[in-house]
Structures are given as C-alpha cells and as structure tokens.
Amino acid sequence: MYSLLRKALFMADPETAHGLALESLRIAHTTGATRLLCKSSDLPRKVMGLEFPNPVGMAAGMDKNGDYIDPLGGLGFGFIEIGTVTPRSQPGNPKPRVFRLEKSLAMINRLGFNNKGVDHLVQQARQRIFPGILGINIGKNFDTPIENAAEDYLLCMQKVYPVADYITVNISSPNTVGLRELQTASQLDLLLAVLQSKRQSLEQEYEKRVPLVVKVAPDLEDNEIPEIATIVRNCGFDGLIATNTTISRDEIKDGPQVREQGGLSGKPLQNRANEVLSAFRNCLPTDIALIGVGGVCSGEDAAEKMRLGADLIQFYTGFVYRGPQLVNDCLQSLGAHQGNA
Ligand SMILES: Cc1cc2nc3c(=O)[nH]c(=O)nc-3n(C[C@H](O)[C@H](O)[C@H](O)COP(=O)(O)O)c2cc1C
C-alpha cells in the first residue's frame, strides 16, 4: 500500500512530500487507520532507567516541532525523538535543501534546524497521548555565536525538561556553521559539564531525573572516539547516539545530486555509522546506553546494530523509502534476534 502512496509522494519535491506524508498520517491516525498498519509487539527494554515498550524509534528531524507525536506513535514506535529545536523559531536554509537519491536509498539535506522554537514544541509535547518514550533533541540558533552555544542548550534544556523522557544534545548537524566544533574534546568537556550541572538542579526542582544523551557525527577521526567516550562518561551523561548524517560522499557515486552540500543519510551511511557505533561500544561501559542510527532500511539492518552493541535503534531515511512497514520489519527481526540471543 505504501509503495502506491510513495509513487504519488515522490512526484512532489521532498519537502512538500514530507508535509503531505505527515498530514496523511494525521488523517489516518484520526480515523483509526494506523491501527491496521501496526502489528502489536511486546519487546520491552529498560534503558537509561526508562521503560521502552520496544527498542525501535523514529530519529530526530522527521517531527522537528512535535506536531505529529501521536500519529507517529500510532505506527508502533517504542520511542520518538522530536526536534532539533532551538530557543527561537528560525526558517532554516534557503530551498531547495532536501534531495532524494532514490537508487541509493539515500537523502541529502541541508535544512539548517528550521523549527518553530522551543515554546511551541513544549506545548505540543504536553498534549501528547503517545504512551511510549519521548526524546527531545536540542540545538542552537544559527545566529548564536558558537562561543555562546551553551546558553542556547541550557535554555532549551530548562524548557523541555518537564515534558521530556530523555534529552539529546545535538552537536553533530553539518548544516549549522561551526556546530561540529563542539565535538572537540575541550569544548565538549565544557558543554557537557555545564549541562550536567544544570540537570542536577532541574532534577531537584522537578523531582525527576531526565537522562541526557549526546548525538555525534560519523565523520569523527578514529582517535576522537575514545576521547569523546571518556568525556561522556566523566560528565555523567546517560547515553550516546551514533550517528548523525555524513558530509562524506565516498560511499555514493551516482547522479548530479551527489554534489549537493549537506548531510547524507540512508544506505550509504550505514557502514560508517556501524563502525562508529561499534567503536563507541568498545570504549563505553554497558551502563551508558547506545542508540544506533544510520542506514537502517530493513529488519536485518536493525538487528545488525543490536549485534554491534546498540541498546536501541532509530531510523529516518529508511522510513521515507519503506514506510510504516519498516517498523513492523524491525520489530519482527529484533524479536527473533532476542530469541536467539
Ligand atoms: C531530512 C532530514 C532531517 C534531519 N534533521 C535532523 C535534526 O533536526 N536533528 C538531528 O539530530 N538529526 C537530524 N537528521 C538526522 C537523522 O536523525 C539521522 O541521524 C540520520 O539521518 C541517519 O539516519 P538514517 O540513515 O536512518 O536517516 C535529519 C535527517 C534527515 C534525512
């Protein structure tokens, strides 16, 4: 059924198609039709102290403003990560800024954190009925100088804290100038320490401990991985997401769109994302959670990430190509993987 809808959607440009797909999902959810798409699953996991109904999540960026939490939740996800959100609303980069590379099951985007601002997202999150886990991914405004970035993260963290189940600190989008500099050891250490200290005061204020995770790029040098792992551990963070999109084009050759600037996602990202995931698993203790994302287009791809040490998995681009069936395929495959473990 999705392949028919996909044919129609792919006639539109990727951003228009994105909006149409999510609005169709909202209608399907309102009429109860999503229940027909979603097979029930029972794969509960306790990760970061949270009870996940299952380990399959929607990655950040699909629902930047939290406008579609319940419709997406209706598809059977165990968790949904909304955002990236910034303190103030911002339009993002000029269009066109999203490109489909169909033959490669890939996308390139340079959206640049287009979003309606943190206050809107918090309102949406408050109204959710979705019973699964809600992650909120935070970033900085494009016009906040990088040396003041911590202020943006602190402000977002303070606002989302009461409504988030976990919070992701996004320092790895390639589409906000200078953002990835925050991954360098000295800057990362400062940023994560400040956020951890803020968490301690918020924990007392709200009498709840919200886990903090950091999302990294796949384009790290191999020697940066143990450094980042040490900082994540020392700063008391609860988890790490590997990975965001890549600026590399090594794994993809075809078509003029390959030359478009931005982050590449989907199948050509899978090998590098898996390498980075596995390298982090080797230098992080098992009580620090790993969320594997990048190139999951089948149930087997999801199981592979679990074999490499992920506690949870997410996808974005695979969902664009495969639709809601990908959730069921991952759940089925992870159920079998669990059975064999
Ligand atoms: C169009 C698009 C927008 C994205 N926006 C965000 C974002 O706002 N924040 C973020 O942390 N990641 C964002 N991502 C990255 C995804 O969350 C994910 O890390 C990446 O695409 C790799 O997974 P995939 O191969 O399953 O797509 C975006 C990806 C795409 C394709």
Side-chain angles (χ1 to χ4, degrees):
M1 193 165 96
Y2 181 72
S3 56
L4 276 180
L5 178 65
R6 193 181 86 169
K7 260 206 184 100
L9 287 172
F10 279 19
M11 287 186 334
D13 75 88
E15 265 195 79
T16 308
H18 178 85
L20 286 172
L22 287 174
E23 279 308 316
S24 319
L25 181 61
R26 189 202 296 285
I27 294 165
H29 181 67
T30 318
T31 58
T34 46
R35 259 179 275 137
L36 303 173
L37 300 172
C38 154
K39 302 205 179 85
S40 76
S41 73
D42 192 21
L43 286 175
R45 302 283 153 104
K46 190 162 183 176
V47 182
M48 304 188 287
L50 302 170
E51 304 284 351
F52 286 74
N54 69 63
V56 177
M58 173 51 82
M62 176 66 71
D63 184 8
K64 286 184 185 271
N65 300 299
D67 290 337
Y68 300 96
I69 302 170
D70 292 332
L72 285 169
L75 297 177
F77 287 105
F79 67 113
I80 293 170
E81 189 170 313
I82 58 174
T84 298
V85 70
T86 56
R88 289 167 283 117
S89 68
Q90 60 180 33
N93 291 321
K95 294 181 184 173
R97 52 193 184 174
V98 184
F99 307 90
R100 278 187 300 257
L101 294 86
E102 280 186 55
K103 282 191 199 127
S104 306
L105 291 180
M107 289 170 78
I108 291 176
N109 91 84
R110 50 169 180 269
L111 285 164
F113 291 168
N114 54 313
N115 77 101
K116 299 178 186 169
V118 69
D119 291 332
H120 172 88
L121 176 138
V122 168
Q123 245 177 26
Q124 298 296 93
R126 262 189 220 295
Q127 290 165 17
R128 79 183 196 263
I129 299 168
F130 173 57
I133 296 292
L134 184 70
I136 302 187
N137 180 309
I138 60 174
K140 76 162 200 78
N141 277 112
F142 80 103
D143 56 355
T144 300
I146 202 73
E147 53 281 13
N148 300 340
E151 289 168 24
D152 278 15
Y153 287 100
L154 283 168
L155 192 140
C156 285
M157 183 175 161
Q158 180 163 7
K159 292 204 169 177
V160 306
Y161 198 90
V163 292
D165 292 319
Y166 73 87
I167 297 173
T168 301
V169 178
N170 182 7
I171 48 167
S172 50
S173 166
N175 303 316
T176 294
V177 176
L179 195 80
R180 286 182 169 192
E181 288 169 27
L182 297 173
Q183 293 181 128
T184 53
S186 56
Q187 298 205 44
L188 186 66
D189 201 16
L190 272 175
L191 178 66
L192 299 198
V194 159
L195 294 173
Q196 158 69 345
S197 147
K198 181 75 181 173
R199 192 238 314 248
Q200 281 168 346
S201 58
L202 290 168
E203 186 177 343
Q204 288 192 339
E205 184 180 340
Y206 291 102
E207 295 176 354
K208 81 168 192 176
R209 184 179 190 281
V210 177
L212 295 179
V213 311
V214 63
K215 183 166 178 178
V216 299
D219 307 310
L220 297 169
E221 297 297 328
D222 288 345
N223 65 323
E224 292 180 285
I225 291 175
E227 277 177 8
I228 292 176
T230 305
I231 295 168
V232 165
R233 217 168 54 188
N234 291 347
C235 290
F237 265 52
D238 304 270
L240 181 137
I241 303 183
T243 70
N244 214 314
T245 56
T246 180
I247 53 169
S248 163
R249 298 293 183 265
D250 291 352
E251 297 292 323
I252 189 162
K253 305 277 176 281
D254 56 309
Q257 294 194 318
V258 169
R259 285 191 290 276
E260 291 292 348
Q261 255 191 22
L264 172 69
S265 58
K267 208 65 190 164
L269 169 63
Q270 186 180 21
N271 284 342
R272 181 61 190 157
N274 283 355
E275 275 174 15
V276 173
L277 171 71
S278 174
F280 272 108
R281 185 71 294 164
N282 287 336
C283 45
L284 279 173
T286 49
D287 62 342
I288 296 191
L290 270 179
I291 303 177
V293 53
V296 172
C297 297
S298 69
E300 182 42 43
D301 295 341
E304 175 67 3
K305 287 207 192 284
M306 297 305 244
R307 276 194 290 273
L308 294 172
D311 299 288
L312 305 163
I313 66 104
Q314 296 177 317
F315 49 72
Y316 183 136
T317 307
F319 186 78
V320 171
Y321 288 102
R322 301 262 344 269
Q325 184 57 35
L326 184 55
V327 185
N328 294 329
D329 288 358
C330 289
L331 291 173
Q332 198 173 26
S333 191
L334 296 183
H337 170 77
Q338 181 169 275
N340 296 334

